Amino acid sequence: MSLSGDEEEEVLSLLRSAGDRVTTPRRLLVRSLFEAAGHRTAEELAAEIQARAPDVSISTVYRNLEELERLGVVTHSHLGHGPASYHLASAAHGHLVCRKCDAHVEIAEGFFADLRRRAIAEFGFAIDPHHFAVIGLCAGCQAETEDPGDITAG
Amino acid sequence: MSLSGDEEEEVLSLLRSAGDRVTTPRRLLVRSLFEAAGHRTAEELAAEIQARAPDVSISTVYRNLEELERLGVVTHSHLGHGPASYHLASAAHGHLVCRKCDAHVEIAEGFFADLRRRAIAEFGFAIDPHHFAVIGLCAGCQAETEDPGDITAG
DNA sequence: CTATTTGCAAAATGTTTGCAATCCG
DNA sequence: CGGATTGCAAACATTTTGCAAATAG
């Protein structure tokens, strides 16, 4: 808990040097982000923050997530049809999400290296493989279904 | 225009054999889907349909897109933060979307073959690379930015 | 001090739902 | 005819915005 304190302070400094003020809602948001590594929705982050400062509003959370994203500290990704998930940019990774049971697997950076290379070579596109999850069927759900993971395969 | 008539009829038959009724809104939705190949949002499809039958409502369009999706005729994908895009499942393809200028490139099936293979091998996941776009920076926007396409690359 | 940030309430956006009226088969 | 489908309006879920009051530096 105090291990991440240094990194937390770094983020607060970054805010200051960007001309932003360090306020209680911002402090608590950064604290929440470092406290647990996983993804959280804006609503979940707001709940954690409100446990400490009950009247921080969710719009403040959204505004500050946006600012932290602009500064490169935070990233959001879309793992399904629900709300976006936020996490530290330094913990960026890809996601496989099962469209049947909603299971999700976090996948390492390197998994997309080849795709990235080819996207650059063929289309000049520098992809960010984290932003949207890759939907599919997990092993368990494939077994239960005749429906293939991909309509056009074969 | 009458070239796709056969395929349109096939879809209508499929509806009938699924126990669904063939109504005017359904006919017109299928017609719109075949008429132009691109992606369209529910709202755009509704507009095309309403040009022919003014009081077809957007909720009917949503309901019928859902049913056609269930039957495997239609697919939707998320190309960005806005509304979902719908198109014929038979025309499934991947998407690269520039997060700066919103340009998008449609990419062939085969582009994901290797990723698919490795997702199965390593995680047992059968991915559907069409559902979510792959976000990134197009060549033009990379040139204009110091910000790299990927935070963790390097 | 004063410009930034906040809380609240309201708007905006995209999609879903309840229900009585309508239509297909 | 009878159940499936529709249109409408209202609900819903997520995110954004306007604005006066609070606050950091």
Side-chain angles (χ1 to χ4, degrees):
Chain A
M1 42 207 77
S2 62
L3 282 175
S4 48
D6 283 359
E7 294 173 274
E8 279 181 52
E9 280 309 321
E10 266 175 59
V11 171
L12 300 182
S13 298
L14 179 60
L15 279 167
R16 270 188 264 260
S17 61
D20 291 332
R21 292 174 181 180
V22 173
T23 64
T24 299
R26 280 184 184 155
R27 234 177 251 287
L28 293 176
L29 174 57
V30 171
R31 182 166 159 190
S32 264
L33 287 167
F34 277 99
E35 219 158 49
H39 321 98
R40 260 136 329 149
T41 64
E43 199 176 19
E44 288 163 346
L45 288 164
E48 290 178 26
I49 292 167
Q50 285 159 359
R52 288 157 174 156
D55 41 53
V56 171
S57 84
I58 194 157
S59 51
T60 297
V61 174
Y62 275 111
R63 281 189 279 231
N64 287 330
L65 284 169
E66 194 183 6
E67 178 63 5
L68 289 174
E69 196 151 9
R70 210 183 57 78
L71 296 177
V73 174
V74 159
T75 292
H76 78 269
S77 19
H78 298 274
L79 305 186
H81 284 173
S85 288
Y86 293 82
H87 52 79
L88 292 172
S90 58
H93 52 257
H95 307 89
L96 300 180
V97 176
C98 180
R99 73 159 164 318
K100 210 68 180 257
C101 71
D102 209 57
H104 63 276
V105 174
E106 302 194 351
I107 50 189
E109 201 44 37
F111 197 71
F112 294 100
D114 186 60
L115 192 74
R116 158 183 291 284
R117 197 161 25 246
R118 286 184 294 115
I120 282 280
E122 293 184 38
F123 307 103
F125 245 90
I127 67 172
D128 170 6
H130 317 106
H131 190 71
F132 281 120
V134 179
I135 295 289
L137 281 181
C138 72
C141 292
Q142 285 168 66
E144 292 171 16
T145 327
E146 65 266 46
D147 182 30
D150 179 17
I151 312 104
T152 61
Chain B
M1 43 206 79
S2 63
L3 281 174
S4 48
D6 283 359
E7 294 172 274
E8 279 181 50
E9 280 310 320
E10 265 175 58
V11 171
L12 299 182
S13 298
L14 179 61
L15 278 167
R16 268 187 267 260
S17 60
D20 291 332
R21 292 173 180 182
V22 174
T23 63
T24 298
R26 281 184 182 157
R27 234 179 251 287
L28 292 177
L29 174 57
V30 172
R31 184 167 158 190
S32 264
L33 288 167
F34 277 99
E35 219 159 48
H39 322 98
R40 258 134 333 148
T41 64
E43 200 176 19
E44 289 163 347
L45 288 164
E48 291 178 26
I49 292 166
Q50 285 159 358
R52 288 158 174 155
D55 40 52
V56 171
S57 84
I58 194 157
S59 52
T60 297
V61 174
Y62 275 111
R63 281 188 278 231
N64 287 330
L65 283 169
E66 194 182 5
E67 177 63 6
L68 288 174
E69 196 151 9
R70 210 184 56 78
L71 296 176
V73 173
V74 159
T75 292
H76 78 269
S77 18
H78 298 273
L79 304 186
H81 284 174
S85 288
Y86 293 83
H87 52 79
L88 293 171
S90 58
H93 52 256
H95 308 89
L96 299 180
V97 176
C98 180
R99 74 159 167 305
K100 209 74 179 256
C101 72
D102 210 58
H104 62 275
V105 174
E106 302 194 350
I107 50 189
E109 202 44 35
F111 197 72
F112 294 100
D114 185 60
L115 191 74
R116 157 183 294 284
R117 195 158 30 242
R118 284 183 295 117
I120 281 280
E122 292 184 37
F123 307 103
F125 244 90
I127 67 172
D128 169 6
H130 316 106
H131 189 71
F132 280 119
V134 179
I135 294 289
L137 281 181
C138 73
C141 291
Q142 285 167 66
E144 292 172 18
T145 327
E146 65 266 48
D147 182 30
D150 180 18
I151 313 104
T152 60

